[in-house]
DNA sequence: CGCTGGAGTTTGATCGATCAAATGCTCGCC
DNA sequence: GGCGAGCATTTGATCGATCAAACTCCAGCG
């Protein structure tokens, strides 16, 4: 394979110095227009492309984002991460950033991996998904002054407005409120909520959205409690959630996930409207409504927060109800 | 942030030269054991980690694999790629390789991206998924002497035994044969096939597996043709496949995908056994059997083919039927 | 006329590693 | 005793880019 052209080759061809070529690439505004033009022609003619590793060595910037690929996500929303990743890579690319994947069995292993990636100058910022209660990675990253953004708010623990922790999240509360409202608008009153047991941040947030909309519509507290179902999600058995919701004989159901919605749908049949969460292919296939996360928007927000130092350090995006 | 230790720092601490430290890391067998020991102690004490970019600049090897994240895969098997990616990253990490993602809108854009990644020494090998009939990327890669492996055989076009194209694939034919045989073993005879219209490599391969098993069991050709359904898959409407398969009133159905299996299942009810393909969460949730691709095995095979120059240049793996 | 300042460009050093060649050392053999 | 072979280690150059400082013009001004 032929030797690739370097800045020096371009410099020679354009009869300028290496540094001027470098300037044309990095700070074109300080180069006189006619010189710049000459260099740009030479770049195109030689098919020059900067050598990323050489640049990284010198600048100590890798322009690469590390993203962890979670092991566990074997649920129905595995495709969710997939779509998010796709948007992220697409937009990162447009911004001249690369996306490097890594995995780790547990948090400690992840911290070691992160250390390795940072020291090797492979990666200079991280995007974390599926943060959870008491996540040990967050304080470690903050303490080591590592740039990162999480997709998911910090539940509990430290202050949500802490500027050292940048995060982007989707407003599940608003999502369920909208879902519930849409059923209320159809004249339905007895709308059940099928979610997970209390204790998970996202789950409780979604539940609260349903409660708010129902309360606003004048539902009595004891009815609300009756209609509120929290079940452990079991990918191998939809029965639990299904039979529980069938017993209530609700006029409609809003759910914390599409797989719960699937359980409800199968138990209740197509005549009782069911609304899921995440708008997975299952929802599309079975034709029930679902709350869709704006993943492109999340990806965009993540990149913006990673790059800027000013402005807000967190972003809460509204999901959209996909009616069917 | 403190300055990271370099080879020179380690060399000084161990009272040897830079090169000896480098040798301990890369070719430990040529270093005298006691010297090696001293250097290793210094490495641990200083917490030294090689600077990946510096090494890449010098060696022109990036130890990074580029993987394209497809845009289209919005079907039910999007999670498939996800699981494959996870295995790949995990195993690549164990082998000291990194995985970099990229996207591209079309094949030409992908070729340009690949060029950029290669020239920037960001990536030195590629893994391509979802190869299709007449894929222009393959000849380009071969011609430019780029190391790559595809997950998916070359359908049609050039010789499947061509050593310049390394590939790994799953034997869908064997998978459907096994699925069909398992239903035959239960005493069922009228087993339908629900797949895509003829013309797709994977689809026809799976169909052929069903045909082989059925023919072996003594099914007459005209019955076979009657039981053979090819429908366009439409994620928004399962009706087409469902009503077609219901009309046949089969004793069992084997399908080319889980979403087709879902359509069959919904149309026929839980009493007619249905077998899907890909073992997605939907199959698990609804409790129908499915042919599972051995994705960890695929990832392992991909890495083996990428690394070795000897031995076979392609690998066909057998899937496993997951009964339920 | 000479001095200052700034825009535009060039020069030399550097990032952290590995390669290629040179050096020192020990051992065996004539 | 001298010499070549072979092992272990060191030295100097290099990969391709950017940084920091130096240099060259030329306009503006007292």
């Amino acid at each position: 394979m032929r030797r690739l052209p370097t800045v020096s080759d371009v410099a020679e061809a354009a009869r300028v110095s290496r540094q001027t070529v470098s300037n044309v690439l990095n700070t074109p505004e300080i180069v006189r227009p006619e010189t710049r033009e000459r260099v740009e022609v030479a770049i195109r003619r030689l098919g020059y492309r900067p050598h990323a590793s050489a640049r990284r060595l010198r600048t100590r910037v890798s322009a690469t984002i590390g993203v962890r690929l979670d092991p566990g996500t074997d649920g129905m929303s595995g495709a969710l991460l997939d779509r998010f990743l796709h948007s992220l890579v697409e937009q990162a690319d447009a911004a001249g950033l690369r996306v490097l994947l890594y995995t780790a069995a547990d948090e400690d292993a992840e911290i070691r991996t992160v250390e390795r990636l940072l020291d090797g100058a492979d990666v200079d910022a991280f995007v974390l998904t599926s943060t959870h209660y008491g996540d040990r990675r967050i304080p470690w990253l903050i303490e080591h002054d590592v740039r990162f953004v999480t997709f998911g708010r910090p539940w509990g623990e430290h202050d949500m407005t802490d500027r050292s922790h940048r995060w982007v999240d989707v407003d599940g509360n608003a999502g369920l409120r909208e879902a519930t409202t849409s059923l209320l608008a159809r004249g339905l009153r007895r709308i059940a909520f099928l979610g997970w047991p209390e204790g998970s941040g996202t789950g409780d947030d979604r539940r609260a959205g349903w409660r708010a909309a129902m309360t606003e519509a004048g539902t009595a507290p004891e009815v609300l409690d009756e209609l509120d179902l929290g079940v452990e999600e079991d990918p191998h058995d939809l029965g639990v959630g299904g039979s529980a919701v069938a017993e209530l004989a609700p006029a409609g159901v809003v759910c914390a996930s599409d797989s719960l919605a699937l359980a409800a749908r199968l138990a209740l049949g197509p005549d009782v409207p069911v609304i899921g969460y995440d708008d997975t292919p299952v929802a599309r296939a079975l034709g029930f409504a679902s709350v869709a996360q704006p993943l492109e928007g999340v990806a965009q927000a993540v990149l913006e927060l990673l790059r800027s130092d000013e402005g807000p350090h967190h972003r809460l995006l509204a999901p959209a109800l996909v009616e069917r």
Side-chain angles (χ1 to χ4, degrees), chain A:
Chain A
M1 218 192 276
R2 69 187 161 74
R3 198 180 67 85
L4 295 167
T6 71
V7 268
S8 298
D9 298 324
V10 174
E12 197 176 338
R15 288 169 295 114
V16 296
S17 69
R18 301 185 312 273
Q19 186 58 37
T20 298
V21 176
S22 175
N23 288 337
V24 169
L25 291 162
N26 299 300
T27 48
E29 67 278 8
I30 72 162
V31 180
R32 198 167 12 144
E34 59 216 71
T35 313
R36 191 193 313 159
E37 178 62 29
R38 216 165 64 234
V39 172
E40 278 164 351
V41 167
I43 287 177
R44 278 196 296 277
R45 191 163 63 75
L46 298 182
Y48 166 78
R49 261 181 261 269
H51 192 290
S53 291
R55 171 180 284 165
R56 285 208 270 276
L57 171 58
R58 184 71 251 231
T59 60
R60 322 197 123 276
V61 170
S62 71
T64 302
I65 301 170
V67 178
R68 172 176 185 192
L69 206 54
D70 308 298
T73 330
D74 213 8
M76 202 152 286
S77 55
L80 195 75
L81 176 66
D82 204 54
R83 286 195 287 148
F84 168 63
L85 254 189
H86 187 265
S87 297
L88 187 70
V89 172
E90 207 164 43
Q91 298 189 41
D93 189 60
L97 298 171
R98 278 168 295 277
V99 174
L100 189 77
L101 292 182
Y102 66 95
T103 42
D106 55 62
E107 285 182 21
D108 292 320
E110 178 162 12
I111 288 176
R112 282 197 302 279
T113 302
V114 165
E115 250 182 327
R116 194 161 44 92
L117 291 173
L118 284 170
D119 287 358
D122 273 320
V123 166
D124 44 27
F126 289 86
V127 172
L128 303 188
T129 58
S130 72
T131 53
H132 54 85
Y133 189 82
D135 203 319
R136 287 224 303 293
R137 302 171 298 172
I138 314 294
W140 188 92
L141 290 168
I142 293 176
E143 190 182 333
H144 288 74
D145 211 25
V146 180
R147 191 162 269 246
F148 73 99
V149 174
T150 64
F151 174 9
R153 300 152 261 192
W155 296 107
E157 290 286 304
H158 60 282
D159 188 4
M160 265 192 22
T161 60
D162 182 352
R163 285 181 62 85
S164 58
H165 178 178
R166 300 161 199 239
W167 56 259
V168 176
D169 207 352
V170 174
D171 192 347
N173 187 304
L176 258 89
R177 187 191 292 248
E178 188 185 345
T180 309
T181 308
S182 86
L183 294 183
L184 287 167
R186 289 211 237 163
L188 308 175
R189 282 296 165 268
R190 211 178 144 67
I191 301 166
F193 171 76
L194 181 56
W196 307 300
E198 280 186 49
S200 82
T202 37
D204 295 349
D205 186 43
R206 293 176 195 177
R207 167 176 286 117
W210 164 76
R211 290 192 96 95
M214 291 295 277
T215 304
E216 234 167 72
T219 313
E222 59 275 15
V223 178
L224 210 57
D225 289 340
E226 185 211 338
L227 292 172
D228 184 345
L229 293 176
V231 304
E232 283 299 347
E233 198 167 326
D234 179 355
H236 298 277
D237 182 16
L238 296 173
V240 195
S243 53
V245 82
E247 267 177 40
L248 290 179
V253 190
V254 294
C255 306
S257 77
D258 268 5
S259 55
L260 289 169
L262 172 62
R265 169 60 172 263
L266 292 176
L268 299 171
D271 296 330
V272 178
V274 166
I275 302 185
Y277 198 100
D278 275 352
D279 194 31
T280 61
V282 191
R284 240 165 299 161
L286 289 182
F288 58 79
S290 192
V291 176
Q293 304 209 35
L295 296 175
E296 317 69 29
V298 173
Q300 189 188 339
V302 162
L303 289 173
E304 282 172 17
L305 292 190
L306 267 188
R307 292 151 65 83
S308 82
D309 284 314
E310 291 116 48
H313 276 43
H314 26 77
R315 203 77 67 78
L316 193 59
L317 304 179
L321 176 63
V322 180
E323 312 248 22
R324 286 199 172 88

